[in-house]
């Protein structure tokens, strides 16, 4: 030890001297660089330097100045160079005119160069010089010469040699102190160890420690002041002593009162039995140092509760069986993944663990099939137990576990991971150092992480925490935790599969329902769709624009739930769209829909009887179909087994319009009755499905009455506000059926935007019809659409007079688009064809199709109406860009047909 101290002291002294020498040399060089740059820049910027360099004899002017500057600054040289690097000044005149030793390229480009270089002799002696080279520029910034200033690097030993005695003296004092300390410590050790060698002392300690902690009796040693000096492992286990007990007073150890009194008493004890927790201990006590008279005692403890321990294990086994039974009853009561996770946590805490957390893969919560790529991201799904005490990740937070975390190890290994002492669990502590530190401060000591795995699919992990006040995890606890997690995992996987199916059905249904409102002038519409919590149904609705600025409202409900109901709903909705495109009357739309449902059920009946089916057919589906005409302010409705709509008048009064009830779809052969209502502008038509008004607790009539009360006084609300108010007032909790709600506020076409007149059955009146049409468009400010509109009206009126029957009428509607309608009393439908070049006619409907955005035919009780729509963009028809005049005129060989 003494030699080591000498070597260390010498090394420290040598290192200090070397560091001082190096630092002094570095400081001298740095100072020389700064002084050289300052001196060179000052001389280069001095007045007259640039002019002298351009003079006839620069040396005669600059040599005296350079030597004067060298004397003032204390530098070894100040040299002026021309741009070729030839010295113009130098301390020794014989060196003038020679090539400068150093780098001048950067200085010629306007930069400052600082370097170390050798050169000719100087007054201060030879050697390496620290020199700076700076440019000399004239008024225009042109480099006309260079200035170099510097000094030689002198021997720096003189700077640090005066401090060498101080360093050596300090080293000598440190060495003397270390020798003195070593001598004193060696004497004390010899006295304390009774002259034993270190190897003998180590062997003696090892034997003593092995015997002390190997015996199956607890050993305690206390001193005369009642402080605990030693406790072997068995005593620590029997009394539940904390880890650090040496030197602590016995009353502060938290032992039972009888044990504390026995340890602090000076009286000896022989085979006394004391109760310590659930253990019966046989205690013996003797004086520790009877000859030395120092006080203190030695206490031995022997556990006599083996029979009680066996009884306790049986009791624990019974409690575990009861807990597993409770898990089977309480876990999986619903098909909700989050609630099932909470049930698992509630069952396990606090009977099995003080704190239980359940972390599920994000894909499981969404109902998806989990993959190994998503194992690092788990969501906190449930917390139970000592939550207010222990800091943990909050519910819903997405946690990214590290590869060393117990949770990731359990998922990857597919087995239980036990961290018996979290203070030594580095993977757990590095996951979130702040949380884990605070958790340890709150007494959390052990963690049992069990993977949740069902049907060979990893779902997540459940974490069981125990605090220092609870017993450690035993091997039986690991088996129980695996069994508990296995039962819960099956319930969670069932809920995940249901969630996936539910999400698929909801996605399918939402994709089949309207995503946005169509452009139309008749109604202001808002809707709500709320899927059932237990499964998606077949509720659907639609808003379909019809010719003549009319709008169809549809509300339907397919029996059953799940994907079958959602797919059937999509088929029915598509069918209604097709029937509406044909512009069939309301009762015929429902009749055709009824025939379709009958055919669909017949197709299902022909399927394999053993095939699994989600529903029992489509029969029983309901539908309400309504068509609103904003010009007449009339609404025609019919319903097939569907709940009756509610009409809210502008004054806020709500009531059912009395739409006759007809049979549900699929029964076949039953007629559908219609009703026509005259609705003032601002009325609200409220369509809904039975999920809004029907509940197990009361009849549907009660629900309808509640709906009317919710709508009373809502005359000033917008459709959006009305929807929200109805949902807030009537939505059941939980929702066992789908809810669809549609609110439409009526609008009326202003009379100023409607023009109609009767046309005599005479082809000679066609020019007057065009003139009247032209005047109407001028009044509406739509002159730019005049040509196309006159052409459409002319052709349709001509066809109605030639091929139709009286009465013939013309109607123009000006809204989002310009609608031209020509009616006649014939039921024959016109047919679009492409005329040959030699044909004299047959181009009329072709021209109409070219000029209009859409056209078609609808039938009325007294004949038919041929209509054509033109989109308006700033008053111009969008169709005119696609049908130029030249193109239209090219379709004719003879223009006389236009005037016919």
């Amino acid at each position: 030890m003494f030699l080591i101290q000498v070597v260390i002291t010498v090394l420290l002294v040598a290192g200090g001297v070397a560091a001082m020498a190096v630092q002094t040399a570095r400081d001298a060089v740095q100072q020389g660089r700064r002084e050289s740059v300052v001196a060179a820049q000052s001389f280069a910027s001095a007045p007259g330097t640039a002019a002298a360099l351009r003079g006839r004899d620069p040396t005669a002017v600059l040599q005296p100045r350079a030597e004067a500057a060298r004397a003032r600054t204390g530098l070894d040289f100040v040299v002026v160079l021309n741009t070729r690097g030839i010295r113009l000044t130098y301390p020794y005149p014989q060196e003038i005119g020679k090539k400068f030793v150093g780098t001048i390229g950067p200085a010629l480009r306007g930069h400052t160069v600082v370097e170390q270089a050798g050169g000719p002799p100087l007054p201060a002696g030879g050697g390496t010089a620290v020199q700076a080279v700076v440019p000399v520029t004239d008024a225009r910034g042109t480099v006309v010469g260079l200035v170099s200033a510097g000094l030689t690097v002198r021997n720096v030993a003189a700077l640090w040699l005066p401090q060498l005695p101080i360093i050596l003296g300090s080293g000598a004092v440190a060495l003397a102190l270390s020798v003195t300390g070593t001598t004193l410590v060696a004497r004390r050790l010899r006295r304390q160890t009774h002259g034993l060698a270190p190897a003998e002392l180590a062997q003696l300690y090892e034997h003593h420690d092995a015997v002390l902690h190997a015996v199956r009796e607890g050993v305690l040693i206390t001193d005369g002041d009642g402080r605990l000096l030693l406790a072997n492992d068995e005593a620590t286990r029997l009394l539940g002593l904390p880890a650090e007990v040496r030197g602590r007073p016995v009353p502060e150890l938290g032992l039972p009162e009888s044990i504390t009194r026995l340890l602090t008493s000076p009286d000896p004890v022989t085979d006394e039995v004391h109760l310590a927790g659930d253990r019966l201990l046989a205690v013996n006590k003797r004086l520790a140092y009877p000859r030395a008279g120092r006080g203190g005692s030695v206490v031995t403890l022997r556990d006599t509760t083996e029979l009680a321990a066996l009884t306790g294990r049986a009791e624990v086994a019974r409690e575990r069986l009861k807990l597993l039974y409770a898990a089977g009853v309480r876990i999986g009561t619903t098909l909700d993944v989050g609630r099932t996770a909470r049930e698992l946590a509630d069952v396990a805490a606090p009977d099995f663990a003080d704190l239980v957390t359940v972390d599920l893969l994000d894909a499981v919560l969404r109902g998806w099939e989990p993959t190994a790529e998503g194992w690092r991201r788990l969501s906190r799904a449930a917390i139970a137990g000592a939550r207010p005490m222990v800091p943990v990740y909050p519910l819903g937070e997405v946690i990214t576990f590290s590869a060393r975390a117990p949770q990731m190890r359990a998922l990857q290994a597919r087995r239980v991971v036990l961290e018996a002492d979290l203070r030594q669990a580095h993977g757990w502590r590095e996951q979130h150092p702040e949380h884990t530190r605070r958790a340890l401060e709150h007494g959390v000591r052990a963690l049992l992480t069990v993977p949740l795995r069902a049907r060979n699919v990893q779902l997540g992990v459940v974490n069981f925490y125990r605090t220092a006040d609870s017993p450690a995890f035993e091997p039986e606890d690991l088996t129980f935790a695996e069994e508990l997690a296995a039962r819960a995992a099956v319930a969670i996987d069932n809920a995940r599969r249901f969630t996936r199916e539910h999400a698929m059905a909801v996605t399918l249904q939402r994709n089949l329902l309207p995503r946005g409102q169509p452009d139309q002038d008749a109604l202001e519409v808002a809707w709500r769709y709320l899927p059932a919590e237990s499964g998606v149904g077949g509720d659907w609705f639609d808003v379909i624009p019809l010719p003549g600025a009319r709008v169809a409202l549809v509300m339907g409900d397919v029996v059953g739930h799940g994907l079958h109901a959602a797919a059937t709903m999509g088929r029915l909705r598509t069918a209604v769209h097709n029937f509406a495109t044909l512009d069939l009357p309301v009762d015929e739309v429902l009749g055709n829909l009824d025939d379709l449902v009958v055919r669909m059920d017949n197709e299902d009946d022909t399927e394999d009887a053993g095939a699994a089916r989600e529903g029992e057919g489509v029969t029983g589906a309901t539908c309400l179909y309504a068509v609103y005409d904003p010009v007449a302010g009339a609404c025609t409705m019919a319903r097939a087994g569907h709940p009756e709509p509610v009409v809210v008048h502008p004054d806020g009064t709500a009531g059912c319009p009395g739409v006759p009830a007809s049979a549900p779809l699929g029964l076949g052969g039953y007629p559908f009755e219609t009703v026509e209502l005259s609705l003032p502008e601002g009325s609200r038509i409220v369509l809904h499905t039975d999920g809004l008004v029907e509940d197990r607790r009361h009849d549907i009539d009660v629900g309808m009455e509640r709906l009317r009360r919710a709508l009373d006084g809502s005359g000033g609300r917008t459709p959006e506000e009305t929807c929200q108010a109805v949902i807030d007032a009537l939505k059941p909790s939980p929702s066992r059926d789908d809810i669809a709600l549609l609110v439409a506020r009526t609008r009326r076409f202003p009379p100023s935007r409607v023009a109609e007149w009767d046309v005599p059955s005479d082809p000679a009146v066609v020019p007057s019809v065009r003139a009247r049409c032209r005047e109407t468009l001028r009044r509406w400010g739509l002159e730019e659409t005049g040509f196309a509109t006159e052409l459409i009206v002319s052709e349709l009126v001509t066809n109605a007079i030639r091929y139709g029957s009286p009465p013939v009428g013309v109607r123009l509607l000006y809204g989002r688009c310009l609608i031209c309608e020509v009616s006649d009393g014939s039921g024959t439908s016109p047919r679009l064809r492409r005329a040959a070049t030699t044909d004299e006619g047959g181009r009329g409907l072709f021209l109409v199709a070219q000029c209009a955005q859409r056209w078609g035919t609808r039938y009325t009780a007294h004949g038919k109406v041929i209509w054509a729509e033109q989109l308006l963009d700033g008053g111009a028809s969008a169709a005119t860009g696609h049908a130029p005049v030249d193109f239209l005129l090219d379709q004719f060989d003879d223009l006389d047909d236009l005037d016919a």
Side-chain angles (χ1 to χ4, degrees), residues 29 31-44 65-66 69-71 73-81 89-91 100-101 103-104 107 112-117 122 129-136 146-152:
V29 172
Q31 183 177 358
R33 294 167 69 94
R34 289 193 298 269
E35 292 177 358
S36 300
V37 171
V38 172
Q41 291 179 342
S42 299
F43 191 90
R65 295 182 184 180
R70 180 173 67 84
T73 58
L75 297 177
D76 293 335
F77 63 92
V78 175
V79 181
V80 180
L81 319 172
T89 69
Y90 200 79
F100 176 75
V101 179
T103 303
I104 64 172
T112 297
V113 179
V114 182
E115 60 180 354
Q116 291 182 354
L122 293 169
V130 176
Q131 60 186 18
V133 183
V134 301
V136 179
L146 307 173
V147 175
S148 175
L151 48 76
T152 59

Side-chain angles (χ1 to χ4, degrees), residues 674-756:
T674 63
V675 65
E676 183 172 331
L677 307 174
S678 179
L679 301 176
E681 186 172 11
S683 301
R684 287 164 180 75
I685 307 171
V686 181
L687 309 182
H688 58 90
T689 56
D690 56 0
L692 183 67
V693 296
E694 201 171 44
D695 198 339
R696 296 179 181 179
R697 296 170 296 180
H698 50 70
D699 191 67
I700 190 172
D701 293 335
V702 178
M704 290 295 298
E705 181 60 30
R706 293 177 59 202
L707 175 60
R708 284 191 290 270
R709 287 200 303 268
L711 292 171
D712 276 336
S714 62
R717 296 175 182 165
T718 65
E720 188 70 28
E721 293 171 345
T722 304
C723 279
Q724 192 59 48
V726 170
I727 293 297
D728 293 341
L730 275 74
K731 179 187 176 183
S733 181
S735 177
R736 295 183 174 86
D737 195 4
D738 288 11
I739 295 176
L741 174 66
L742 186 147
V743 178
R745 180 162 62 183
T746 61
R747 298 171 178 153
R748 294 291 293 269
F749 246 77
S752 60
R753 295 292 185 97
V754 180
E756 55 183 335

Side-chain angles (χ1 to χ4, degrees), residues 338-418:
R339 183 167 179 177
T340 305
R342 290 192 296 272
E343 290 170 348
L344 167 60
D346 292 337
V347 165
D351 294 333
F352 179 68
D354 298 311
L355 174 66
V356 179
T357 62
V358 180
D359 300 326
L360 299 179
L361 299 176
D362 190 57
V364 174
L365 292 174
R366 299 173 183 268
W368 302 341
E369 195 73 19
T371 59
E373 289 78 8
W375 285 3
R376 294 284 299 272
R377 294 174 59 83
L378 287 87
S379 296
R380 178 57 47 88
I383 304 173
R387 172 66 182 89
M389 299 169 47
V390 181
V392 295
Y393 289 104
L395 284 174
E397 181 165 343
V398 178
I399 311 168
T400 302
F401 287 104
S402 65
R404 298 180 57 192
Q407 291 81 0
M408 281 302 300
R409 288 157 48 204
L411 281 174
Q412 293 171 350
R414 300 186 178 186
R415 59 176 178 81
V416 179
V417 173
L418 172 63

